[in-house]
């Protein structure tokens, strides 16, 4: 088996040492990653996954959105950001997993292909968006995909849309311990370029009007099982503006926690606990997070001694 130390000396795979995850994640939290790899080809990605031999959620990192990285850092990680080729074939766009959604949407616009306008403001990679079936303004990834290709235990597999098992913020990939998205095929529709451009501008304006700026993970909580937006419950519990060491519940949209100063992942975790407890006390509803914890084995180990236990008080 390829040895990780041997791979460290292989200069064909771009890498950086002692990377601060706080500069790499949209929440601006996290400790140091000793080695961060940037594979550019499938061969390099295969070599890394084979050498590291870890659960993919422990080392695979996209753009760092929707992620809370361990304050203690990680020894090694892989980012797919440079595995990002985008190809247009008729009404289809074939994108490698590391391409940013906004870049795919911009290319679609230039080629008169409609379908990605509502998703164009999602600050993440195509691969990450597939894993969580990311969505915005009533459109989800499952609405625009034809198939995906994954790397699964050393084998390359193509999965058609019907077998991806998309549901609200989940997919077959998210529920797998071994699948890594490597390519996505979008099935779009021809449309006038001006019409597409106008739609993209409208969605951008709506996002600016309804969502806060500044460092954040993105949406923290899922809708309830009854379809109630988490923000409605958080605001109803009187938590708008609640702050803990620089992590603050947004006044503009209560399902966002903004890093206003030097908040840590621990601060986020504890503020999330407090929000869940207070919403539970008020509505007897337990909010579930959509945030991914990166490089963390046990979130409970970092919680404060007075962490909420989700029991009525």
């Amino acid at each position: 088996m390829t040895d990780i130390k041997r791979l460290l000396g292989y200069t064909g795979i771009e890498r950086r040492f002692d990377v601060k995850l706080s500069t790499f994640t949209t929440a601006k939290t996290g400790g140091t990653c000793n080695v961060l790899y940037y594979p550019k080809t499938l061969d390099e990605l295969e070599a890394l996954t084979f050498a590291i031999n870890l659960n993919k959620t422990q080392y695979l990192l996209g753009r760092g959105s929707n992620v809370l990285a361990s304050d203690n850092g990680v020894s090694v990680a892989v980012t797919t950001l440079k595995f990002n080729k985008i190809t247009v074939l008729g009404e289809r766009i074939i994108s490698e997993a590391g391409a940013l959604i906004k870049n795919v949407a911009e290319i679609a616009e230039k080629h008169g292909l409609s379908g990605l306008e509502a998703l164009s403001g999602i600050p993440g990679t195509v691969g990450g968006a597939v894993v969580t079936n990311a969505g915005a303004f009533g459109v989800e990834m499952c609405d625009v995909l034809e198939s995906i290709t994954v790397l699964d235990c050393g084998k390359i597999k193509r999965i058609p849309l019907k077998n991806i098992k998309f549901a609200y913020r989940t997919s077959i990939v998210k529920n797998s311990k071994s699948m890594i998205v490597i390519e996505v095929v979008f099935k779009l529709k021809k449309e006038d370029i001006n019409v597409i451009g106008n739609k993209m501008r409208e969605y951008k304006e709506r996002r600016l009007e309804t969502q806060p700026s500044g460092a954040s993970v993105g949406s923290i909580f899922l809708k309830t099982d009854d379809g109630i937006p988490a923000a409605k419950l958080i605001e109803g519990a009187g938590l708008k503006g609640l702050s803990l060491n620089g992590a603050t519940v947004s006044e503009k949209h209560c399902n966002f926690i903004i890093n206003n100063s030097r908040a840590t992942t621990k601060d986020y975790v504890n503020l999330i606990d407090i929000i869940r407890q207070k919403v539970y006390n008020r509505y007897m509803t337990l909010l579930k997070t959509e945030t991914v914890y990166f490089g963390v084995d046990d979130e409970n180990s970092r919680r404060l001694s007075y962490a909420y236990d989700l029991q009525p008080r």
Side-chain angles (χ1 to χ4, degrees):
M1 179 178 287
T2 305
D3 187 273
I4 189 65
K5 291 182 179 179
R6 179 181 175 188
L7 197 59
L8 284 171
Y10 175 44
T11 57
I13 300 179
E14 183 179 343
R15 63 198 187 278
R16 289 172 56 196
F17 298 96
D18 298 326
V19 176
K20 292 183 179 179
L21 292 171
S22 59
T23 66
F24 203 89
T25 56
T26 59
K28 304 302 180 187
T29 68
T32 300
C33 174
N34 294 345
V35 187
L36 181 63
Y37 288 99
Y38 292 79
K40 301 184 187 71
T41 66
L42 178 57
D43 285 344
E44 290 185 352
L45 182 61
E46 285 184 295
L48 283 166
T49 56
F50 183 66
I52 296 169
N53 194 29
L54 293 175
N55 181 297
K56 64 183 175 62
T57 59
Q58 292 178 302
Y59 71 87
L60 191 63
L61 189 63
R63 185 176 179 265
S65 62
N66 199 35
V67 168
L68 283 174
S70 170
D71 291 327
N72 295 323
V74 293
S75 59
V76 61
V78 177
T79 176
T80 57
L81 283 177
K82 296 194 177 183
F83 189 66
N84 57 13
K85 184 179 179 181
I86 302 170
T87 305
V88 179
L89 293 175
E91 295 186 353
R92 291 173 174 79
I93 291 182
I94 302 172
S95 170
E96 291 182 335
L100 297 180
I101 296 174
K102 69 171 186 175
N103 292 346
V104 179
E106 289 171 357
I107 288 176
E109 177 188 7
K110 291 177 181 177
H111 287 81
L113 296 175
S114 177
L116 293 172
E117 295 90 337
L119 304 176
S120 60
I122 294 176
T125 61
V126 167
V130 167
V131 173
T132 60
N133 191 23
F137 304 111
V139 179
E140 296 176 315
M141 290 293 284
C142 61
D143 298 319
V144 293
L145 293 190
E146 180 175 270
S147 66
I148 64 173
T149 301
V150 301
L151 180 64
D152 187 8
C153 297
K155 297 181 180 179
I156 297 174
K157 302 177 181 178
R158 179 185 175 276
I159 306 177
L161 176 61
K162 65 180 181 179
N163 293 337
I164 303 175
K165 299 181 181 179
F166 278 126
Y168 176 55
R169 297 299 177 265
T170 191
S171 68
I172 191 174
V173 185
K174 185 174 182 180
N175 294 319
S176 167
K177 294 294 185 181
S178 57
M179 287 184 183
I180 296 174
V181 179
I182 58 176
E183 185 178 270
V184 174
V185 178
F186 292 94
K187 182 66 173 68
L188 307 175
K189 296 180 180 179
K190 280 288 185 181
E191 181 58 272
D192 182 87
I193 293 176
N194 293 323
V195 172
I196 296 173
N198 288 336
K199 286 182 179 179
M200 289 181 70
R201 283 188 288 274
E202 288 174 7
Y203 283 120
K204 182 178 181 180
E205 290 173 1
R206 286 175 63 182
R207 185 176 289 272
L208 290 172
E209 290 172 358
T210 59
Q211 297 183 9
S213 58
S216 77
V217 177
S219 296
I220 296 289
F221 297 102
L222 298 166
K223 292 179 182 178
T224 69
D225 293 340
D226 297 329
I228 301 173
K232 182 176 181 179
L233 301 181
I234 296 169
E235 183 170 357
L239 304 178
K240 181 183 287 188
L242 180 66
S243 185
L244 178 65
N245 297 334
T248 305
V249 177
S250 169
E251 297 272 358
K252 197 170 192 178
H253 193 310
C254 291
N255 201 18
F256 284 72
I257 294 177
I258 306 301
N259 188 346
N260 286 323
S261 55
R262 295 184 178 180
T264 64
T265 289
K266 182 175 182 178
D267 295 327
Y268 266 82
V269 169
N270 283 292
L271 185 54
I272 287 170
D273 277 346
I274 292 169
I275 294 168
R276 293 176 74 191
Q277 179 66 66
K278 290 185 176 294
V279 167
Y280 183 80
N281 287 350
R282 177 71 182 271
Y283 298 104
M284 295 298 290
T285 297
L286 182 58
L287 293 178
K288 301 174 184 177
T289 60
E290 63 175 279
T291 304
V292 176
Y293 296 101
F294 180 76
V296 179
D297 293 324
D298 182 9
E299 280 304 300
N300 290 317
S301 67
R302 290 208 321 283
R303 288 181 173 144
L304 299 176
S305 57
Y306 56 83
Y308 288 76
D309 57 11
L310 297 177
Q311 295 297 318
R313 296 177 185 274

